[in-house]
Amino acid sequence: MAAPLAYSLIATDLDGTLLRGDDTVSDRSLAVLAAVAAKGARHLVVTGRPAPRVKPLLDDLGGGGLAVCGQGAQLYDSGADRMIWSVTLDRELAEAALGKIEAEVGQVYAAVDQDGVEGLTLIEPGYLMPHPTLPAVRVKGRDALWAEPISKVLLRHPRLTDDELAAVARDAVGSLATVTMSGPGTVELQPRGVTKATGLALAAERLGMTSEDTIAFGDMPNDVPMFVWAARGVAMANAHPDLKSAADEVTSSNEDDGVAVVLERMLEAGGVER
């Protein structure tokens, strides 16, 4: 009997990690994910994208499984198209947090991801979507952002870098929300205490797995908690320096199939590599 794989739960971020720049997964990555699944491993998407923006990608990956979405705020069953668990960001707290940030740095531009499997991404005037392939609905003013329950707020500033905006937001917001950076042009406010690690831990428990079973792949600071929780964290070559510092290993870039490189090596090593 072949030796079991070193890790039986493979947690991957999407943008900048498993996905290439054109929002596709390479044939090489699809093939190795199928190969590790044949060995009994489970692949779990852990992404900042809300559930409605993940389902088409999960269909391309075979669909039918769990996905951690919304930076850990949502546990989504793609096969049943239903939310198993979700937590929302209090809208009054979110509005107060925005006010505190703007008191420090002037006007910011905001967007929100609504909760639920049919939730929309709403953007206020002046907000530019950092990922142009993701659908969004432009509203007339900020008040419209709070019309329905939300999972998070996305922020942009006309002059500050993402790192600068995130640092100011953390100081200004305090305990009102968790501040994270998930990609270029994407600083986010999410429910306090909610991270990719909390969502991943919940999903792993449902799958009967633990942190010791888990290898995680990512590219941005929002993946740091996931790396801390998992037994092994692998950063992409294109990753933010903060994530590389937290990683056990740095692989090739997302464009060069960095996830596949590590999983192929894991397959060749069988149960030896840790």
Side-chain angles (χ1 to χ4, degrees):
M1 180 180 294
L5 295 175
Y7 302 99
S8 54
L9 183 57
I10 299 155
T12 66
D13 174 47
L14 288 177
D15 297 291
T17 301
L18 185 61
L19 294 181
R20 297 179 293 191
D22 61 359
D23 262 12
T24 62
V25 182
S26 72
D27 290 341
R28 180 181 180 184
S29 293
L30 289 172
V32 74
L33 286 171
V36 295
K39 292 279 190 179
R42 296 292 297 266
H43 173 220
L44 183 69
V45 165
V46 185
T47 178
R49 294 191 185 203
R53 311 294 171 260
V54 173
K55 183 171 173 53
L57 295 168
L58 297 177
D59 290 341
D60 292 341
L61 291 167
L66 298 179
V68 177
C69 305
Q71 306 292 12
Q74 300 172 331
L75 182 57
Y76 173 58
D77 181 341
S78 63
D81 191 26
R82 69 182 182 93
M83 208 74 77
I84 294 174
W85 178 85
S86 70
V87 59
T88 58
L89 175 60
D90 183 279
R91 286 166 281 175
E92 289 187 3
L93 288 182
E95 194 169 16
L98 280 178
K100 288 179 175 291
I101 295 167
E102 289 185 322
E104 297 295 327
V105 298
Q107 184 176 13
V108 298
Y109 299 109
V112 299
D113 284 336
Q114 293 180 330
D115 188 41
V117 296
E118 301 294 335
L120 301 173
T121 296
L122 305 181
I123 58 178
E124 71 174 355
Y127 185 90
L128 299 176
M129 286 292 289
H131 204 305
T133 65
L134 295 179
V137 176
R138 190 170 296 279
V139 296
K140 292 183 179 180
R142 183 168 293 179
D143 287 348
L145 298 179
W146 320 124
E148 300 290 341
I150 60 173
S151 60
K152 63 180 178 180
V153 178
L154 302 91
L155 305 176
R156 301 198 74 169
H157 192 276
R159 296 180 304 279
L160 297 181
T161 67
D162 297 333
D163 288 297
E164 289 169 340
L165 179 57
V168 169
R170 287 190 188 99
D171 288 341
V173 167
S175 62
L176 293 179
T178 295
V179 178
T180 191
M181 188 196 332
S182 64
T186 314
V187 174
E188 300 180 0
L189 308 179
Q190 58 202 73
R192 186 68 182 171
V194 171
T195 67
K196 283 191 173 184
T198 60
L200 175 55
L202 182 65
E205 182 179 9
R206 289 186 70 92
L207 295 171
M209 298 178 181
T210 69
S211 61
E212 290 302 307
D213 302 315
T214 307
I215 183 171
F217 295 83
D219 74 307
M220 291 299 291
N222 63 322
D223 296 312
V224 169
M226 182 167 68
F227 279 21
V228 172
W229 184 85
R232 188 169 185 83
V234 182
M236 315 306 288
N238 50 286
H240 189 282
D242 288 354
L243 189 69
K244 288 182 177 178
S245 296
D248 298 298
E249 174 184 354
V250 177
T251 185
S252 306
S253 72
N254 61 319
E255 297 292 345
D256 293 322
D257 296 315
V259 172
V261 168
V262 175
L263 295 184
E264 287 166 353
R265 191 181 71 223
M266 193 169 77
L267 283 168
E268 291 171 2
V272 178
E273 182 184 276
R274 264 285 181 176

